Amino acid sequence: MQEPETLKKLKTKTYDKELAKLHVELVKLQEWVRHAGLKVCIVFEGRDGAGKGGTIKAITERVSPRVFRVVALPAPTEREKTQIYIQRYMRHFPAAGEIVIFDRSWYNRAGVERVMGFCTEEQTERFLSLAPMFERAMVDSGLILIKYWLEVSPEEQTRRLEARIEDGRKLWKLSPMDLQSYSRWYDYSRARDAMFAATDTEFAPWFVARSDDKKRARLNIIRHLLSRIPYEELPRERIVLPKRQKPHGYREPDYPFKFIPETA
């Protein structure tokens, strides 16, 4: 993939200011999706350490989890392994008024499963041939499908994974599978290229975001997401808090409430 033009890392103050504006727009989008009964499905894929989780958190931290649902499925159970491959994902698809975000998706078959040998080459090729037809049916049913691939450089991926090793808050992000996949950079590159060649369609295209600068990538993705879903700001009445009722003789009880220690 072509090297990007080097830009200065986005300053935190600038990022916070721009993100706050975009959060307002995401709330407007949320209300419109609910009002219009839209069904939105957003797929996030990319290499380990590319920033998928942080981007999804930036999108969802100021909106309702009843509208924006995040789906991050664990490894399939023995029963799920016997199902039609796409079956375990379909049950999480959005109903009217919902936005579902997949933190990794059915494209596991074209990526980690292929590279790590969890499926056969025949299974992968069959998936790649069927995925466009499946996604065509999704789009034809009225579902808005948006697919993002986060691209990180090998140097930045190394820096981030090493930081996880040293940071007790991030150790849970580093699985044995991550360590195995780290060494297979070019196997993943080949898998990505084959996936794009087969599934980057006019009706369900892949959008690539360079994510070496995580803050810049998050803002760019949110802006792009907002541009892909037509929405309008709904009129709202001015909100005024009602008067609080009078106590009518109520007094705080002399009860030994178990307050937590106030150490901060």
Side-chain angles (χ1 to χ4, degrees):
M1 193 167 285
Q2 186 179 359
E3 289 295 321
E5 180 184 350
T6 303
L7 297 171
K8 289 184 178 180
K9 289 288 183 78
L10 196 65
K11 293 182 179 180
T12 299
K13 185 176 181 180
T14 302
Y15 169 74
D16 289 342
K17 182 179 179 180
E18 292 303 311
L19 184 59
K21 295 177 184 176
L22 292 173
H23 280 158
V24 173
E25 293 304 312
L26 284 168
V27 170
K28 294 177 185 177
L29 171 66
Q30 168 184 276
E31 297 307 299
W32 180 258
V33 166
R34 216 159 31 178
H35 167 78
L38 300 183
K39 295 175 288 185
V40 182
C41 184
I42 307 169
V43 168
F44 278 96
E45 295 287 346
R47 302 178 191 271
D48 293 321
K52 296 179 295 298
T55 300
I56 292 170
K57 183 178 179 182
I59 293 171
T60 59
E61 63 183 343
R62 296 292 183 177
V63 291
S64 170
R66 295 178 181 84
V67 178
F68 282 77
R69 276 195 297 117
V70 178
V71 177
L73 298 184
T77 64
E78 290 303 313
R79 178 177 181 275
E80 288 171 333
K81 289 178 183 178
T82 69
Q83 296 176 338
I84 298 171
Y85 175 70
I86 202 68
Q87 190 172 340
R88 67 192 296 251
Y89 297 98
M90 288 181 67
R91 61 191 292 264
H92 297 282
F93 281 8
E98 294 180 346
I99 299 173
V100 172
I101 300 175
F102 280 93
D103 184 352
R104 295 204 182 277
S105 66
W106 47 95
Y107 282 102
N108 273 339
R109 176 131 297 180
V112 64
E113 290 188 15
R114 182 178 209 173
V115 173
M116 302 307 296
F118 296 151
C119 65
T120 65
E121 279 298 304
E122 291 75 16
Q123 287 175 315
T124 301
E125 291 301 328
R126 179 166 174 77
F127 167 78
L128 290 176
S129 67
L130 292 177
M133 290 185 279
F134 169 69
E135 292 177 356
R136 173 92 258 183
M138 293 171 65
V139 173
D140 286 349
S141 73
L143 191 148
I144 298 172
L145 175 61
I146 306 172
K147 303 185 302 191
Y148 289 112
W149 174 272
L150 273 63
E151 186 65 23
V152 66
S153 68
E155 297 79 14
E156 181 62 15
Q157 185 193 48
T158 298
R159 190 194 69 77
R160 291 178 186 176
L161 295 184
E162 286 179 342
R164 291 180 184 180
I165 296 172
E166 302 300 325
D167 191 337
R169 301 168 300 174
K170 298 179 180 179
L171 277 174
W172 64 273
K173 292 185 175 183
L174 196 62
S175 69
M177 188 63 59
D178 296 333
L179 297 177
Q180 290 184 50
S181 65
Y182 171 77
S183 65
R184 299 191 175 187
W185 177 271
Y186 293 105
D187 287 341
Y188 273 97
S189 294
R190 294 184 184 95
R192 176 203 62 198
D193 296 347
M195 181 186 77
F196 273 45
T199 64
D200 185 20
T201 59
E202 176 272 330
F203 53 85
W206 280 102
F207 297 103
V208 180
R210 300 189 188 277
S211 64
D212 276 14
D213 184 340
K214 290 190 289 187
K215 293 184 177 69
R216 194 183 302 276
R218 291 169 192 167
L219 297 180
N220 288 335
I221 289 170
I222 295 174
R223 291 189 190 106
H224 183 269
L225 172 62
L226 290 167
S227 75
R228 296 294 298 181
I229 308 172
Y231 70 97
E232 300 174 19
E233 182 177 3
L234 294 173
R236 302 186 65 152
E237 294 183 5
R238 183 171 178 271
I239 299 173
V240 179
L241 289 176
K243 290 184 178 180
R244 186 169 285 158
Q245 67 179 163
K246 295 180 179 180
H248 297 296
Y250 176 82
R251 294 181 181 180
E252 290 290 336
D254 185 16
Y255 183 83
F257 292 106
K258 298 176 182 65
F259 290 104
I260 64 169
E262 297 180 350
T263 58

